[in-house]
Amino acid sequence: MDAALMARVLALRFLWRARDRWSAERIADHRERAVAAARRHAVERSPFYRRLHAGLEDAPLAALPPVTKAQLMEHWDDAVTRPGLHLADVEAHLTDLVEHDGDPGRPWRPGQPLRGRWWAAATAGTTGRRGVFVWDRAEWATVLASYARANDWAGVPVRPGQPIRVAVVSSRRPTHQSAAVGASLPTALIPTIRLDATAPLPETVEALNGFAPTLLVGYASVLRPLAQEQLSGRLHIAPHAVMSASEVLSPQTSRDAEAAWGIPPADVYAATETAGIASTCSAGRRHLYEDLVIAEPVDADRRPVPPGTPGDRLLVTVPFARTLPLIRYEMSDRIAVDGRGCPCGRAFALLAAVEGRIEDVLALAVGGTTVAVHPNVFHDALDEVPVSGWQVVQRSEGVDVLLEGLPPQMPTDAVGARIEAALAEAGAAGVPVRIVPVAALERTALGKVPLVRGLPRA
């Protein structure tokens, strides 16, 4: 166990609990001071940000130019604030971890983390070039503490003398942040099993039955089939808490999980670049981590959207990110922020909606024009279909709907009719729909199932 790292995490968790009682004014004051310090640090130590923010030192945050992933990766070596840290070295480190099945969180093994000092992770690259991000020890402690905060806010029970037994079903690919986070957990104090979301379901069920977790964490696309395994009697675990992370948690998946384990799953909204962004409180509402991440939902022209309105994209500023500063970094997430006030007593802003990523909006050809169809159209039509998983894949001639675990007695025509009706209501009548029952949905290298996949980008 990395005792120094864990000491930092525990200290942060203790200090942050006091923030749960902060007023909105106190949160705003903290944000302003944290952002100002991050901006000064970036301009002083990063040639990239020094050029980008030249003449804007006294401008408000909203006046600063956004930074795209492609832009940041192109200027990575100039963006980092630590001399001698280069993208090529981090890429080589990540490649070495993959080729040798390395464990990204174990500092006592040579080269892990990089030079014993840097934790690194890469995004999946679903929107083009992948992003590579790096954190020093203090920053990585904040990353870990941000995920631990989700447990605190959800009211995960801590029983004296009974350590939390954590089962994480996500990606074991060592370049993925969830793998690095899982590898950093102290197994002596927090017994942890990390399972690959791409593994056959019976293997995962057997491992969970043998481990008997008290906290189950997984992708939403994993929780639903596991819930059905529990309801069928093949899985028999009794977690005190269930947490969905890294994918949009649909209402149906939430209902399935609650039916299986008697507790509604907590929803953790996070990203590789930022770590935790928001999570569910004990009252079942999602609060933004405003003290750690400044989130700005904006429209296609990067203008702020009204409260409660989903943006076309999201700009994030991460004050604790000092090695690779992120100031108005652009993400493709569509979220809505709407007011404050919650029975839990926290004054942190409420996250009203997470609607997925803009690359999941399908552009369908209808009568010589193009109609944009949001993934929610498919969620509404498919989330209550009695299957263990589904995926919509756009083809040049229409869409394929892949269904895993379709009951034999349910005709595919009935599912097709639901999709066709939903498309017609969305203005895409006549788009060919093909229903394809499959034994298992294909997952990405990170173990995820993109629910709605558009045509490959040119």
Side-chain angles (χ1 to χ4, degrees):
M1 181 181 73
D2 188 335
L5 179 64
M6 285 303 106
R8 285 179 179 266
V9 174
L10 292 174
L12 287 173
R13 290 184 70 177
F14 177 77
L15 291 172
W16 290 356
R17 284 174 185 144
R19 298 182 182 182
D20 290 354
R21 299 186 294 274
W22 280 4
S23 65
E25 293 74 21
R26 179 80 181 275
I27 294 169
D29 179 67
H30 172 86
R31 282 167 38 124
E32 185 176 346
R33 289 185 287 106
V35 169
R39 289 175 60 179
R40 287 194 301 270
H41 176 86
V43 169
E44 289 171 3
R45 303 195 181 192
S46 165
F48 169 73
Y49 279 102
R50 191 177 306 125
R51 293 191 302 268
L52 190 67
H53 293 176
L56 298 171
E57 290 81 6
D58 297 324
L61 180 65
L64 299 180
V67 176
T68 65
K69 180 167 63 176
Q71 189 180 9
L72 189 66
M73 292 304 101
E74 182 181 352
H75 299 282
W76 201 94
D77 285 4
D78 274 347
V80 293
T81 62
R82 302 296 192 266
L85 189 60
H86 302 287
L87 178 60
D89 296 333
V90 180
E91 289 274 24
H93 168 69
L94 293 173
T95 299
D96 181 70
L97 287 175
V98 172
E99 291 179 350
H100 296 91
D101 195 25
D103 196 334
R106 303 300 187 195
W108 55 86
R109 296 181 61 185
Q112 300 168 358
L114 174 63
R115 303 175 194 161
R117 301 179 56 194
W118 312 106
W119 282 258
T123 62
T126 53
T127 56
R129 181 179 180 178
R130 77 171 186 167
V132 175
F133 301 88
V134 65
W135 304 267
D136 66 14
R137 180 176 296 273
E139 293 166 320
W140 189 244
T142 303
V143 168
L144 296 177
S146 79
Y147 288 114
R149 171 183 265 182
N151 296 342
D152 294 339
W153 282 18
V156 174
V158 177
R159 293 176 170 83
Q162 297 183 23
I164 298 176
R165 297 175 60 81
V166 182
V168 182
V169 190
S170 61
S171 174
R172 286 188 56 86
R173 188 175 178 86
T175 60
H176 194 244
Q177 191 184 74
S178 67
V181 168
S184 298
L185 295 176
T187 54
L189 300 177
I190 308 174
T192 303
I193 183 173
R194 293 184 290 132
L195 303 174
D196 194 335
T198 64
L201 186 59
E203 291 183 13
T204 302
V205 168
E206 181 180 4
L208 289 173
N209 283 335
F211 184 73
T214 54
L215 172 60
L216 175 62
V217 182
Y219 296 152
S221 62
V222 168
L223 292 181
R224 188 173 186 185
L226 286 177
Q228 293 173 351
E229 290 293 294
Q230 180 85 15
L231 292 170
S232 71
R234 289 182 290 272
L235 178 64
H236 41 83
I237 60 176
H240 302 151
V242 178
M243 309 198 79
S244 171
S246 297
E247 295 176 342
V248 175
L249 177 65
S250 72
Q252 186 59 47
T253 297
S254 183
R255 288 192 290 268
D256 287 351
E258 186 169 6
W261 295 296
I263 45 176
D267 191 7
V268 182
Y269 173 44
T272 298
E273 298 93 327
T274 62
I277 300 175
S279 67
T280 308
C281 70
S282 56
R285 301 186 182 183
R286 290 175 297 192
H287 294 267
L288 284 170
Y289 296 173
E290 295 182 274
D291 54 335
L292 304 180
V293 180
I294 288 79
E296 302 176 69
V298 296
D299 64 17
D301 296 319
R302 295 170 172 166
R303 296 172 302 194
V305 297
T309 302
D312 291 295
R313 60 197 70 192
L314 178 67
L315 304 180
V316 294
T317 298
V318 187
F320 72 83
R322 299 300 180 87
T323 302
L324 182 62
L326 297 175
I327 300 175
R328 303 202 86 206
Y329 173 83
E330 183 175 295
M331 297 168 58
S332 58
D333 297 49
R334 294 171 51 90
I335 75 167
V337 179
D338 192 13
R340 302 178 188 275
C342 180
C344 77
R346 294 179 180 85
F348 289 88
L350 295 168
L351 182 64
V354 180
E355 293 192 353
R357 306 286 168 93
I358 59 173
E359 65 268 16
D360 293 334
V361 176
L362 301 189
L364 301 179
V366 179
T369 63
T370 299
V371 176
V373 176
H374 193 275
N376 282 357
V377 170
F378 300 104
H379 277 279
D380 292 342
L382 288 168
D383 276 349
E384 295 187 10
V385 173
V387 293
S388 55
W390 59 264
Q391 183 181 54
V392 174
V393 181
Q394 184 179 6
R395 306 296 185 194
S396 58
E397 68 282 1
V399 296
D400 286 354
V401 179
L402 282 58
L403 301 176
E404 177 183 336
L406 182 70
Q409 69 275 16
M410 185 169 189
T412 57
D413 290 350
V415 182
R418 290 174 69 107
I419 299 298
E420 290 170 357
L423 287 174
E425 188 174 347
V431 171
V433 175
R434 184 174 61 169
I435 306 300
V436 185
V438 296
L441 295 170
E442 183 178 353
R443 293 181 176 271
T444 68
L446 299 181
K448 297 183 179 182
V449 177
L451 293 181
V452 183
R453 290 172 47 193
L455 291 172
R457 294 187 175 186

